[in-house]
Short mmCIF file of all heavy atoms in Angstrom, two decimals:
data_model
loop_
_atom_site.label_atom_id
_atom_site.label_comp_id
_atom_site.label_asym_id
_atom_site.label_seq_id
_atom_site.Cartn_x
_atom_site.Cartn_y
_atom_site.Cartn_z
N GLN A 20 -16.08 83.59 118.71
CA GLN A 20 -15.92 85.04 118.75
C GLN A 20 -14.44 85.44 118.72
O GLN A 20 -14.07 86.45 118.10
CB GLN A 20 -16.58 85.61 120.03
CG GLN A 20 -18.09 85.36 120.12
CD GLN A 20 -18.84 85.84 118.89
OE1 GLN A 20 -18.54 86.90 118.34
NE2 GLN A 20 -19.82 85.05 118.46
N ARG A 24 -12.73 87.90 115.88
CA ARG A 24 -11.86 89.06 116.17
C ARG A 24 -10.51 88.92 115.46
O ARG A 24 -9.98 89.90 114.92
CB ARG A 24 -11.66 89.18 117.69
CG ARG A 24 -12.86 89.78 118.42
CD ARG A 24 -12.51 90.12 119.86
NE ARG A 24 -12.31 88.91 120.66
CZ ARG A 24 -13.27 88.28 121.32
NH1 ARG A 24 -14.52 88.72 121.24
NH2 ARG A 24 -13.01 87.20 122.03
N SER A 43 -0.17 87.10 100.84
CA SER A 43 -0.61 85.73 100.55
C SER A 43 -0.48 84.83 101.78
O SER A 43 -1.37 84.03 102.09
CB SER A 43 0.21 85.14 99.40
OG SER A 43 0.00 85.87 98.21
N ARG A 54 -11.56 77.81 108.41
CA ARG A 54 -11.87 76.38 108.50
C ARG A 54 -12.21 75.98 109.94
O ARG A 54 -13.15 75.23 110.19
CB ARG A 54 -10.67 75.56 108.02
CG ARG A 54 -10.36 75.68 106.53
CD ARG A 54 -9.39 74.59 106.10
NE ARG A 54 -8.91 74.77 104.74
CZ ARG A 54 -7.76 75.32 104.41
NH1 ARG A 54 -6.94 75.74 105.35
NH2 ARG A 54 -7.40 75.44 103.14
N LYS A 57 -15.62 77.28 110.89
CA LYS A 57 -16.68 76.44 110.32
C LYS A 57 -16.87 75.19 111.18
O LYS A 57 -18.01 74.78 111.46
CB LYS A 57 -16.31 76.06 108.89
CG LYS A 57 -17.32 75.13 108.23
CD LYS A 57 -16.82 74.69 106.88
CE LYS A 57 -17.73 73.65 106.25
NZ LYS A 57 -17.24 73.14 104.97
N ARG A 58 -15.77 74.57 111.62
CA ARG A 58 -15.86 73.37 112.46
C ARG A 58 -16.55 73.70 113.78
O ARG A 58 -17.38 72.93 114.27
CB ARG A 58 -14.46 72.82 112.72
CG ARG A 58 -14.44 71.50 113.50
CD ARG A 58 -13.05 71.15 113.95
NE ARG A 58 -12.57 72.07 114.96
CZ ARG A 58 -12.93 72.02 116.25
NH1 ARG A 58 -13.77 71.10 116.68
NH2 ARG A 58 -12.44 72.90 117.11
N PHE A 63 -21.16 73.90 117.57
CA PHE A 63 -22.19 74.69 118.24
C PHE A 63 -23.57 74.12 117.93
O PHE A 63 -24.41 73.96 118.82
CB PHE A 63 -22.09 76.15 117.78
CG PHE A 63 -23.04 77.09 118.49
CD1 PHE A 63 -22.64 77.78 119.62
CD2 PHE A 63 -24.33 77.27 118.02
CE1 PHE A 63 -23.52 78.64 120.28
CE2 PHE A 63 -25.21 78.12 118.67
CZ PHE A 63 -24.81 78.81 119.80
N ILE A 90 -23.09 82.15 110.98
CA ILE A 90 -22.87 81.66 109.61
C ILE A 90 -22.75 82.83 108.64
O ILE A 90 -21.86 82.85 107.77
CB ILE A 90 -24.03 80.72 109.19
CG1 ILE A 90 -23.97 79.43 110.00
CG2 ILE A 90 -23.96 80.40 107.70
CD1 ILE A 90 -25.15 78.50 109.76
N LYS A 110 -4.07 81.46 93.57
CA LYS A 110 -4.97 80.34 93.31
C LYS A 110 -4.72 79.15 94.24
O LYS A 110 -5.30 78.09 94.07
CB LYS A 110 -4.78 79.86 91.87
CG LYS A 110 -5.00 80.96 90.85
CD LYS A 110 -6.37 81.56 90.93
CE LYS A 110 -6.57 82.63 89.85
NZ LYS A 110 -7.90 83.24 89.96
N SER A 134 -36.02 67.92 109.43
CA SER A 134 -37.21 67.31 110.01
C SER A 134 -36.86 65.93 110.56
O SER A 134 -35.79 65.38 110.30
CB SER A 134 -38.30 67.20 108.95
OG SER A 134 -37.89 66.30 107.92
N MET A 146 -26.01 54.75 108.07
CA MET A 146 -25.84 53.38 108.57
C MET A 146 -25.57 52.41 107.43
O MET A 146 -24.72 51.53 107.54
CB MET A 146 -27.09 52.96 109.34
CG MET A 146 -27.27 53.65 110.69
SD MET A 146 -28.81 53.21 111.50
CE MET A 146 -28.54 51.46 111.78
N GLN A 151 -21.76 49.10 104.50
CA GLN A 151 -21.02 48.79 103.27
C GLN A 151 -19.51 48.92 103.50
O GLN A 151 -18.72 48.10 103.02
CB GLN A 151 -21.47 49.70 102.14
CG GLN A 151 -22.90 49.45 101.68
CD GLN A 151 -23.36 50.46 100.64
OE1 GLN A 151 -22.58 51.32 100.21
NE2 GLN A 151 -24.62 50.37 100.24
N GLU A 165 -5.91 35.56 103.55
CA GLU A 165 -5.71 34.51 102.54
C GLU A 165 -4.35 34.66 101.86
O GLU A 165 -3.62 33.68 101.69
CB GLU A 165 -6.82 34.58 101.49
CG GLU A 165 -6.75 33.49 100.44
CD GLU A 165 -7.88 33.56 99.45
OE1 GLU A 165 -8.75 34.44 99.63
OE2 GLU A 165 -7.90 32.76 98.50
N LEU A 188 23.00 18.31 96.85
CA LEU A 188 24.36 18.80 96.63
C LEU A 188 25.37 18.02 97.47
O LEU A 188 26.47 17.69 96.99
CB LEU A 188 24.44 20.30 96.95
CG LEU A 188 23.76 21.24 95.95
CD1 LEU A 188 23.79 22.67 96.47
CD2 LEU A 188 24.43 21.16 94.59
N ALA A 210 48.80 0.68 86.50
CA ALA A 210 50.26 0.78 86.61
C ALA A 210 50.87 -0.54 87.06
O ALA A 210 51.91 -0.99 86.56
CB ALA A 210 50.63 1.90 87.58
N CYS A 224 61.49 -13.23 76.92
CA CYS A 224 62.70 -12.92 76.14
C CYS A 224 63.90 -13.74 76.64
O CYS A 224 64.73 -14.24 75.86
CB CYS A 224 63.00 -11.44 76.19
SG CYS A 224 61.79 -10.42 75.29
N VAL A 226 63.84 -16.68 78.14
CA VAL A 226 63.65 -18.08 77.76
C VAL A 226 64.03 -18.28 76.31
O VAL A 226 64.72 -19.24 75.93
CB VAL A 226 62.21 -18.52 78.02
CG1 VAL A 226 61.95 -19.89 77.41
CG2 VAL A 226 61.90 -18.53 79.52
#
Side-chain angles (χ1 to χ4, degrees):
Q20 299 307 320
R24 283 190 291 270
S43 297
R54 293 193 188 98
K57 177 186 174 184
R58 185 191 68 78
F63 185 93
I90 292 174
K110 304 301 182 182
S134 65
M146 288 176 65
Q151 293 175 3
E165 183 178 357
L188 288 174
C224 290
V226 170

